[in-house]
Amino acid sequence: MDMRRIVAVLAEEAEQQIRDRTWELTSSDRVLALKAESDLREVVGPPDVQEALPRIDRLEHLRETLAVLAICLARTHGRMAWFLSGAINALEPVLRWRALSADGGGSFGTVLASAEEYAEAEDAVRRLQDVLAWITAESG
């Protein structure tokens, strides 16, 4: 399953749990969602902006996305933590990517990602941005 699909499933589950009141959003959930959404939007912009960047910058931005999610995860528990953990897991392939040639040496198991893989990961981040914005706005 690709990153976009995994994040879409996570988003659907979060939205359903909130609608069904299985997940009762707290004010701290909303504050954390707002922070994560804002930080993610600063890191990964619209497709035309991201696609114009060199791959090394795109990879840096995707790694920063994982850092944002990890920091937010460290500050919460319960369903918000579970959701963020799932998001990190979905984007985990980014950790094995590199943007530079190995020049005949070892690359510690990293791989060069394709343009399509960058676009997929960035689309997944944008879907996370959208669901976090929805969580922020949801009145519960």
Side-chain angles (χ1 to χ4, degrees):
M1 191 178 311
D2 74 23
M3 289 180 251
R4 278 182 289 237
R5 184 68 194 131
I6 294 169
V7 169
V9 168
L10 283 170
E12 290 165 12
E13 182 177 356
E15 291 166 351
Q16 189 62 51
Q17 285 188 21
I18 292 166
R19 275 192 219 98
D20 292 347
R21 297 189 181 269
T22 304
W23 180 0
E24 293 284 342
L25 291 169
T26 65
S27 60
S28 62
D29 286 339
R30 287 184 184 88
V31 168
L32 190 64
L34 177 63
K35 173 75 172 137
E37 185 263 340
S38 172
D39 289 353
L40 291 178
R41 286 200 195 277
E42 284 184 29
V43 177
V44 173
D48 59 327
V49 172
Q50 290 304 121
E51 290 168 7
L53 296 173
R55 285 190 183 186
I56 196 164
D57 292 337
R58 291 174 80 180
L59 181 55
E60 179 182 317
H61 291 192
L62 289 167
R63 288 178 179 159
E64 191 171 340
T65 293
L66 286 163
V68 165
L69 294 171
I71 289 168
C72 289
L73 174 61
R75 295 181 177 154
T76 193
H77 58 278
R79 293 186 192 277
M80 179 60 84
W82 305 339
F83 173 76
L84 293 172
S85 178
I88 291 168
N89 188 56
L91 294 169
E92 182 271 337
V94 169
L95 296 174
R96 292 187 305 277
W97 294 356
R98 62 183 159 83
L100 303 174
S101 169
D103 291 330
S107 65
F108 303 98
T110 60
V111 297
L112 293 169
S114 69
E116 294 79 23
E117 288 171 312
Y118 279 98
E120 175 189 329
E122 291 160 350
D123 287 346
V125 172
R126 287 185 202 94
R127 180 63 176 108
L128 283 171
Q129 294 167 353
D130 292 344
V131 74
L132 288 164
W134 183 84
I135 287 170
T136 299
E138 185 58 32
S139 62

